Amino acid sequence: AAFAALEWEHPELMARALAGDMRVRKGAAKLCANRVGRTSNVELATAALLTLMNDDESDVREVVAEVAAHLRDHPLRSFADLLGALIESPSYEHATPQLLITLQHAPDKVDELVLQASKRFITTFGAEARDIRTGAAGDARYISQLVVRGLAQSRDRKHRGQLLDVLDGMLALGVYGVDDEIAMSERQ
C-alpha cells in the first residue's frame, strides 16, 4: 500500500497504512525511509515519515531512523526539514550514529543541521557521552569532528559562537575525545 501510494499516486493508501497496526506502520516506515531519496513522490514519503517519527511504538520510530543511512551521500539541503524534524523527534535516539555519519558525508553545506544535531546530542546523551562504555561516547567523536569542521567552514560570527558553545558544553561534561579532536584541529 505504501509503495502504491508513493509510486502509483494513490495517497489514500498511505493514509490507510498510517492508520494500520504497528506492523503495518513499521512496514510503511521502512519503505518510506528506504525510498525518500529516490521516489517520485518525495512530499508524501516525507509527510509519512514526519508522522511516523513520533509514533507511539518505539519499533516504528526505530525504523523511521533508518532514513538517515538511506540519505548518505545525497545532497541534504532538500531534506533539511525532514532531518531537522528527525533530530527533534523521539526517533533521534535511534538515528544518532547513522545521522552523524550521513552529515559527515554530505556533499553540500549542512552546518545548520550539524548545529541542531550537536545541541540535541548534548541534551539527550550528556553524561553518557563521557562514559566510554556507552555508544554515546563513540558518537561523541562524530559530533566533535562535525563541530570542528563547521568552525573551519563557517564565516558567520553567530554560528561560530554557537558551535563554540557546543564544544564548551562537551568539554564541561568531560565528553570522551573532544579535547583530542580540538588538539588535532589546531595542528592542521
Side-chain angles (χ1 to χ4, degrees):
F3 182 85
L6 292 179
E7 303 306 333
W8 300 333
E9 300 188 24
H10 289 285
E12 70 281 0
L13 294 176
M14 186 65 77
R16 288 179 65 190
L18 297 181
D21 67 15
M22 190 268 297
R23 292 176 308 196
V24 172
R25 294 190 318 274
K26 191 174 172 182
K30 187 158 200 71
L31 183 105
C32 290
N34 188 315
R35 297 193 62 80
V36 73
R38 57 191 171 103
T39 183
S40 59
N41 197 338
V42 174
E43 296 81 17
L44 184 58
T46 299
L49 289 168
L50 289 171
T51 299
L52 293 167
M53 67 180 57
N54 294 296
D55 196 273
D56 292 337
E57 296 289 336
S58 179
D59 288 349
V60 174
R61 294 191 309 265
E62 186 173 352
V63 172
V64 169
E66 293 174 11
V67 71
H70 289 293
L71 289 175
R72 185 153 312 128
D73 298 322
H74 284 268
L76 297 179
R77 283 187 174 221
S78 60
F79 299 102
D81 290 341
L82 173 63
L83 293 173
L86 178 66
I87 291 166
E88 298 304 324
S89 79
S91 291
Y92 176 75
E93 292 179 31
H94 303 292
T96 305
Q98 294 302 315
L99 175 64
L100 299 176
I101 295 168
T102 295
L103 290 172
Q104 278 190 325
H105 289 258
D108 52 350
K109 192 174 179 195
V110 292
D111 25 335
E112 288 303 320
L113 287 171
V114 166
L115 181 59
Q116 185 181 4
S118 301
K119 287 179 175 180
R120 179 70 196 273
F121 181 83
I122 290 172
T123 59
T124 302
F125 297 107
E128 283 181 54
R130 70 174 166 226
D131 184 349
I132 61 171
R133 296 172 296 177
T134 67
D139 296 341
R141 187 181 105 237
Y142 295 121
I143 291 288
S144 302
Q145 291 169 351
L146 286 166
V147 171
V148 168
R149 185 176 92 185
L151 283 168
Q153 293 175 345
S154 180
R155 299 292 172 245
D156 179 81
R157 183 175 237 188
K158 182 179 177 190
H159 186 73
R160 287 177 61 85
Q162 291 175 324
L163 289 169
L164 287 169
D165 289 344
V166 168
L167 280 180
D168 286 345
M170 292 175 79
L171 286 168
L173 287 169
V175 172
Y176 179 74
V178 174
D179 46 355
D180 293 337
E181 195 63 40
I182 293 170
M184 193 162 53
S185 73
E186 290 173 349
R187 285 186 290 237
Q188 294 176 356

